[in-house]
Amino acid sequence: MTAFPAAERRRESWIRAHGDGVAVDEALDFFDGLPEVPTDDLLGRWRGSGLPTGSPLDGLLEAYGWYGKEFLDAERVHPLLFRTRSGPRPINPALLPLSVLRDRPAVAHSRAARAAFSVVRLALRTARPTARLRTVRHRGVDTAAMVYDALPIIDVFRRVSADQLLGLMDMRGLPAPFFFALRRDLSAR
């Protein structure tokens, strides 16, 4: 039972109301107003969805079949789960062409690139964790963050409600953060 259900409902409503897009400055203001989240509260599997803000990455993960993230413990995190016929499976993000995703979004969004990904996705799978959870100070708040092992990316999280988070991806070379929402996958318990 949460202590502030009305506040959580308002925050969840904000996410729903802005699911089709919001200015990056407004998303940052909302993010800054959210409470921190301890790393232990992230344990489990989460379904993800983008929060469009004009980022070159908007819609990209969903177009490729992104499912979400899985936090087994602080040292074992699967940052990218993708849908398969047999359920969500992790891929190794270090094998993705990060510079194409960041610098050439039109190529990354193309039908040809999505088709190529569907062919190589099996080769990108991994059972090994490729990120870790840490508490970091971000925008003046100590909160949970996921640090990728082999990429210049940190995903920082704030609590929307007990079962929903707002994530901000801080990637070197990206002019503004990429925002995404995570909802706890209760079926994975």
Side-chain angles (χ1 to χ4, degrees):
M1 183 87 173
T2 59
F4 305 102
E8 288 186 354
R9 283 193 300 274
R10 281 192 302 276
R11 294 190 301 250
E12 286 181 336
S13 177
W14 189 96
I15 297 284
R16 280 190 305 276
H18 294 87
D20 289 333
V22 61
V24 69
D25 290 339
E26 188 176 347
L28 282 167
D29 286 344
F30 179 72
F31 184 86
D32 288 343
L34 294 173
E36 75 283 350
V37 58
T39 56
D40 285 348
D41 288 3
L42 271 76
L43 300 183
R45 186 182 294 162
W46 297 76
R47 292 193 66 118
S49 60
L51 180 66
T53 61
S55 169
L57 302 180
D58 286 349
L60 195 59
L61 289 170
E62 294 89 342
Y64 282 78
W66 182 49
Y67 181 89
K69 300 179 179 293
E70 187 169 34
F71 305 91
L72 302 171
D73 58 42
E75 296 299 317
R76 298 180 304 137
V77 176
H78 296 295
L80 292 175
L81 298 178
F82 282 83
R83 289 187 295 275
T84 71
R85 288 188 188 114
S86 58
R89 296 291 181 256
I91 67 162
N92 184 347
L95 301 176
L96 297 176
L98 193 60
S99 62
V100 173
L101 300 176
R102 183 190 58 224
D103 301 334
R104 299 184 181 273
V107 172
H109 281 277
S110 73
R111 180 178 293 158
R114 289 193 310 272
F117 180 75
S118 68
V119 171
V120 301
R121 184 167 43 187
L122 186 60
L124 301 176
R125 282 192 193 170
T126 184
R128 299 178 66 170
T130 54
R132 298 177 293 155
L133 277 175
R134 294 293 183 263
T135 299
V136 301
R137 179 169 292 266
H138 183 264
R139 299 179 66 83
V141 174
D142 292 340
T143 192
M146 184 187 74
V147 181
Y148 284 74
D149 291 342
L151 295 174
I153 299 174
I154 300 174
D155 289 346
V156 183
F157 303 101
R158 296 284 186 91
R159 181 184 308 283
V160 174
S161 67
D163 292 321
Q164 188 170 26
L165 306 171
L166 183 60
L168 177 158
M169 185 178 84
D170 181 353
M171 180 170 78
R172 182 176 292 135
L174 197 63
F178 169 70
F179 285 90
F180 58 93
L182 294 176
R183 181 161 293 282
R184 190 179 302 278
D185 184 347
L186 299 175
S187 69
R189 288 187 168 177

